[in-house]
Amino acid sequence: GWLTNEKDSGPPAQRGEFIGVAFDSILSTFHLTAKQAASLVRRCEKLRRLGPSTPRKLAKLRGKLIWYSPCIHHAPIIAKPLSNWIGGPETPAAWDAVRPLSLPVLAAIDFLIQHLPALSLRARPIWPCRPMQLYARWLTQQPGSTDPNSFFSVIGVAYVDASVHGYGIAWQALPD
């Protein structure tokens, strides 16, 4: 089961919630809770509504995104424009300097407002997924490797080769 400190924990369990993350140790997945996703969306909406911001305020959103990145699909990619805009402030005054948000930051915030609730429902694996492991499962056709309802469904493999003259792609639906 899942056991934490007295203040934050309930009885040991294989499924539950902890600090905004829903976990399922039976399926080996976790995802952001709807409550936590709504909190992040409200933070995004507030930033969008206020317009110009400070690196400190945007860093709070970026920090949450990175903290929850194991259970939000593509969070590090979404956070990249925020990181670029924040830069590397070296003084308290630089952290609190008000600046207009860039178009990439606004696009990232708008994307989160629109898509974070749906992204938060999509479970992520607790254990890292390595392409080579999926490829090996596909080659041996282990259970779940071709099942479309499987968390680790692999429907085929694309082989890519490139040169200065162009590139080629070959699709293989089933192993030889």
Side-chain angles (χ1 to χ4, degrees), residues 26-90:
I26 296 168
L27 297 176
S28 294
T29 62
F30 50 22
H31 66 275
L32 201 62
T33 62
K35 181 180 174 183
Q36 189 60 46
S39 173
L40 287 172
V41 167
R42 282 192 305 275
R43 187 180 295 248
C44 289
E45 290 170 339
K46 183 177 180 182
L47 280 167
R48 190 70 163 104
R49 191 173 52 253
L50 295 176
S53 191
T54 67
R56 186 180 311 276
K57 288 179 184 173
L58 200 60
K60 288 181 181 179
L61 173 62
R62 184 202 170 278
K64 292 282 186 187
L65 273 178
I66 297 304
W67 174 259
Y68 289 113
S69 66
C71 51
I72 301 173
H73 289 268
H74 314 297
I77 297 168
I78 299 165
K80 185 71 174 157
L82 282 62
S83 301
N84 291 342
W85 188 89
I86 293 165
E90 296 181 8

Side-chain angles (χ1 to χ4, degrees), residues 7 11 39 41 69 76 85 91 98-99 101 104 112 117 121 124 128 130 132 141 146 148 150 156 158 163 168 171:
K7 180 181 92 148
S39 173
V41 167
S69 66
W85 188 89
T91 66
V98 177
R99 304 188 332 237
L101 296 174
L112 288 167
L121 297 175
R124 302 263 334 246
R130 293 182 175 80
M132 197 61 197
Q141 293 294 291
T146 57
S150 170
S163 73
W171 177 259

